[in-house]
């Protein structure tokens, strides 16, 4: 199943890149492995996946030592400040930095452990009350503040678009995030390297790619429906 699913996702990525005149190498696939057992992650790894995304710190920690060391772990879920110390030296990229207070905690722990941590600033582009993320209006000023912190590097932006039946409905949100991204680039802020746009999930990643995504986060499209009993 995973092999067939990955092949299907790969074909869709290539098609979306072709439609938008982008190179396939511009887009990186994160296999969203939350709630999935280690055996499924190992199968995806054996098929070539190296980027895995987790929502919960405890689950990431449980899997970290059981799987190969060359995996790039992505923290894509809401991160509580008191959990930062557990993962700051283990994750490749934190996608979900949505406040200065969280960034300050990440910076403190990174200094303690003598690591440089890469982050994305999460923007709630659609303004959904149920979602985390800074507002589109405050995104640039938040980036400017976080950029002053030691041992932390801003690599780009992330958003979680609304759940919709028709993925075209999310195009405007992806386009808006890309515009904020471009606006930040033009400001030439020290310690900010706008390289990554993390946007698009199983239901809308093709549209996200067409609008400039460099990371797409696909869970159900690779592993099937979530299995909460395995948490």
């Amino acid at each position: 199943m995973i092999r067939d699913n990955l092949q299907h996702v790969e074909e869709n990525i290539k098609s979306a890149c072709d439609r938008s005149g982008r190179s396939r190498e511009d887009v990186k696939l994160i296999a969203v492995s939350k709630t999935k057992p280690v055996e499924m992650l190992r199968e995806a790894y054996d098929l070539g996946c190296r980027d895995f995304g987790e929502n919960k710190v405890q689950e990431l920690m449980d899997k970290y030592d059981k799987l190969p060391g060359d995996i790039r772990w992505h923290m894509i879920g809401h991160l509580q400040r008191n959990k930062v110390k557990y993962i700051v030296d283990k994750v490749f990229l934190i996608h979900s930095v949505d406040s200065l207070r969280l960034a300050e905690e990440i910076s403190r722990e990174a200094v303690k452990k003598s690591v440089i941590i890469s982050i994305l600033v999460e923007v709630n582009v659609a303004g959904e009350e149920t979602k985390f993320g800074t507002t589109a209006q405050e995104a640039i000023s938040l980036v400017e503040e976080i950029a002053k912190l030691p041992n932390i590097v801003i690599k780009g932006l992330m958003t979680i678009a609304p759940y919709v039946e028709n993925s075209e409905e999310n195009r405007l949100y992806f386009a808006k995030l890309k515009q904020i991204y471009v606006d930040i680039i033009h400001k030439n802020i020290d310690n900010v390297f706008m390289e990554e746009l993390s946007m698009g999930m199983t239901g809308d990643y093709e549209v996200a790619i067409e609008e400039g995504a460099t990371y797409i986060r696909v869970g159900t499209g690779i592993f099937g429906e979530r299995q909460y009993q395995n948490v």
Side-chain angles (χ1 to χ4, degrees):
M1 177 192 78
I2 292 176
R3 179 185 296 275
D4 291 343
N5 288 349
L6 273 171
Q7 187 173 344
H8 181 65
V9 170
E10 179 60 34
E11 288 167 359
N12 288 343
I13 293 172
K14 284 178 179 170
S15 295
C17 287
D18 288 344
R19 286 194 300 273
S20 50
R22 301 181 67 196
S23 165
R24 169 62 187 91
E25 286 66 43
D26 292 344
V27 181
K28 298 173 285 288
L29 171 63
I30 297 173
V32 177
S33 45
K34 59 185 180 182
T35 78
K36 299 301 178 187
V38 167
E39 299 75 39
M40 292 183 83
L41 276 70
R42 202 180 303 277
E43 185 178 347
Y45 177 90
D46 290 341
L47 290 166
C49 289
R50 291 296 179 272
D51 292 274
F52 289 85
E54 289 289 337
N55 268 45
K56 291 184 165 53
V57 168
Q58 185 59 55
E59 193 174 350
L60 190 155
M61 296 288 292
D62 289 345
K63 293 172 178 174
Y64 182 85
D65 290 325
K66 297 174 184 172
L67 288 156
D70 62 338
I71 284 176
R72 294 179 289 266
W73 292 100
H74 297 258
M75 183 64 199
I76 60 175
H78 180 62
L79 180 58
Q80 295 170 302
R81 295 196 305 280
N82 64 347
K83 301 282 180 67
V84 168
K85 59 190 173 190
Y86 300 114
I87 63 162
V88 78
D89 57 346
K90 292 180 173 62
V91 295
F92 178 73
L93 184 63
I94 298 175
H95 290 233
S96 47
V97 179
D98 59 357
S99 70
L100 182 59
R101 289 179 73 196
L102 174 58
E104 288 170 342
E105 186 62 29
I106 293 169
S107 174
R108 267 194 295 273
E109 291 297 332
V111 168
K112 271 190 211 173
K113 292 192 161 89
S114 299
V115 296
I116 306 294
I117 184 73
S118 296
I119 68 153
L120 304 181
V121 170
E122 181 176 1
V123 185
N124 185 353
V125 182
E128 292 184 280
E129 289 184 10
T130 56
K131 298 265 176 72
F132 293 101
T134 187
T135 65
Q137 294 75 23
E138 295 172 350
I140 293 177
S141 58
L142 178 59
V143 166
E144 289 173 331
E145 288 301 309
I146 294 174
K148 300 171 186 174
L149 300 171
N151 291 50
I152 198 167
V153 178
I154 301 172
K155 286 290 184 74
L157 305 176
M158 177 267 223
T159 197
I160 300 173
Y163 176 78
V164 292
E165 293 292 334
N166 178 4
S167 59
E168 282 294 330
E169 293 176 28
N170 280 336
R171 189 178 293 277
L172 74 162
Y173 302 123
F174 297 143
K176 188 170 182 180
L177 190 72
K178 176 67 180 288
Q179 187 56 57
I180 297 169
Y181 169 94
V182 170
D183 291 345
I184 292 170
I185 290 172
H186 288 158
K187 282 187 165 285
N188 289 318
I189 306 165
D190 286 345
N191 204 31
V192 175
F193 304 88
M194 281 284 135
E195 299 168 356
E196 309 294 359
L197 272 176
S198 173
M199 58 188 194
M201 295 166 27
T202 293
D204 55 18
Y205 65 84
E206 289 184 71
V207 173
I209 291 169
E210 291 169 4
E211 294 300 329
T214 64
Y215 274 116
I216 57 170
R217 310 179 303 271
V218 180
T220 304
I222 295 172
F223 297 108
E225 294 299 325
R226 297 179 196 170
Q227 298 167 312
Y228 288 102
Q229 67 269 28
N230 287 323
V231 176

